[in-house]
Amino acid sequence: MLRVTLRGVGVPTVVLGSGETLLVGRDPHAALPDADADAALRSTALTLPRAAPHVSRLVGEIVVGEEVVRLRWRGSTEAQLSSLFDAPGGARRVALSDGMAALLDEGENHVLLLRGRQTAPGQYTDLVLVVDVSVPVEPDAGPAWVPEHDPDGAVTAPAPRLERWSREWYVALALAEPWLVGDDDYPRPASNREIYERVLAWRGHAWNLERAQRVDDAIRVVARMAFGPADDPFAQAGGRAQNVRFAVARRAAEVRLVTADDLAVVEAARARGAGLNPEGSTPGALS
């Protein structure tokens, strides 16, 4: 027998036992099985309070068996799983994607929903869910917590994105390029000069990015969107600028402000000489 406790800041605590399933998301109740489903597998839905509109209605499914606990990721929302396992490497941290399944270790497992909580209109912060797996001394006979749900909940909204073909989008692409191509061990983030030269090579024109201050301004815009105002590293006291830039580059890739597909589109436009006119119309120039 296993006991699973899910908790988080501002999130109601839910306790599950073997044979139970928990559906988690912005409005996961529509995914609950029909009333005549197998009675041996009880299902509960947990609505995440103040979930951002781009969080999927159903992001995850926690299935508690007799000996293992399995997390199945069901949504497009970017997230990471961190836990401990008995191996020389120690802690693990994996990115979760739609359709992925992972066995949860005994003890604390952290599920980090990137920009998963809305703090104000257009402002988001990360949401941490703690999934604690334990072997109880006595079986928990208490009833599973079942929240009310809103049957008229809004459909899943798109996550915040940089405007494609904009100056900030190109800067984010140049900054995050090592992470987009899988070069996670890249020793340092790109310099202002390297970013300018990369954008110039892609487009044949790089706005005013030859001025280092304009590159810094664009990176600050990227950071604010990637982390949200509350966690913007440029607004935090202390820390080296190089470390902040490294964090912004990785975060931009993690939350998919720019993607490997974006990089491929830009390279294809450059190859056919359409850097300044990638979609048949000239993108608006930024001052």
Side-chain angles (χ1 to χ4, degrees):
M1 294 289 292
L2 295 175
R3 173 185 293 168
V4 173
T5 304
L6 183 143
R7 62 183 186 276
V9 177
V11 177
T13 299
V14 182
V15 178
L16 304 169
S18 294
E20 293 184 305
T21 296
L22 178 66
L23 307 178
V24 180
R26 183 170 50 83
D27 185 16
H29 293 79
L32 287 170
D34 297 333
D36 59 349
D38 187 354
L41 189 63
R42 291 174 293 164
S43 298
T44 302
L46 171 63
T47 299
L48 297 173
R50 292 186 294 148
H54 54 267
V55 171
S56 301
R57 287 187 173 187
L58 174 62
V59 293
E61 177 181 302
I62 299 174
V63 182
V64 185
E66 292 295 326
E67 298 181 350
V68 298
V69 179
R70 179 176 288 105
L71 170 66
R72 295 171 179 157
W73 202 248
R74 299 298 194 187
S76 59
T77 307
E78 294 87 359
Q80 296 172 349
L81 169 66
S82 302
S83 58
L84 298 175
F85 66 119
D86 187 15
R92 68 173 175 178
R93 179 183 177 187
V94 296
L96 297 172
S97 58
D98 189 11
M100 185 175 179
L103 296 181
L104 301 185
D105 302 319
E106 187 173 340
E108 286 192 358
N109 300 266
H110 291 194
V111 178
L112 176 66
L113 271 70
L114 304 178
R115 301 185 298 171
R117 171 164 288 167
Q118 184 166 13
T119 57
Q123 297 182 14
Y124 310 98
T125 188
D126 294 345
L127 173 61
V128 180
L129 300 177
V130 179
V131 184
D132 194 352
V133 180
S134 62
V135 180
V137 177
E138 297 180 359
D140 183 8
W145 177 79
V146 179
E148 298 180 357
H149 79 286
D150 179 10
D152 299 322
V155 297
T156 301
R161 290 285 186 265
L162 292 167
E163 181 184 353
R164 204 175 211 191
W165 314 120
S166 68
R167 179 179 59 184
E168 286 73 19
W169 182 79
Y170 273 103
V171 168
L173 201 59
L175 187 63
E177 183 175 7
W179 287 267
L180 299 178
V181 299
D183 189 9
D184 294 346
D185 296 327
Y186 191 67
R188 60 173 178 81
S191 67
N192 287 359
R193 186 66 187 179
E194 289 170 333
I195 290 174
Y196 161 69
E197 291 176 348
R198 197 74 179 103
V199 175
L200 183 64
W202 282 329
R203 301 183 72 247
H205 173 69
W207 290 281
N208 53 7
L209 295 177
E210 72 278 4
R211 297 168 59 187
Q213 183 59 48
R214 295 309 181 196
V215 178
D216 289 339
D217 292 344
I219 292 175
R220 287 177 180 272
V221 172
V222 175
R224 189 175 179 85
M225 180 166 288
F227 287 93
D231 300 318
D232 184 353
F234 284 104
Q236 310 299 320
R240 296 176 57 190
Q242 191 79 348
N243 293 338
V244 169
R245 181 171 293 204
F246 188 96
V248 173
R250 184 173 64 184
R251 177 79 170 190
E254 288 176 341
V255 302
R256 296 176 62 81
L257 287 184
V258 286
T259 66
D261 288 341
D262 293 336
L263 186 60
V265 167
V266 166
E267 290 288 1
R270 180 196 60 79
R272 65 175 185 271
L276 282 174
N277 193 19
E279 288 189 331
S281 61
T282 303
L286 297 178
S287 61

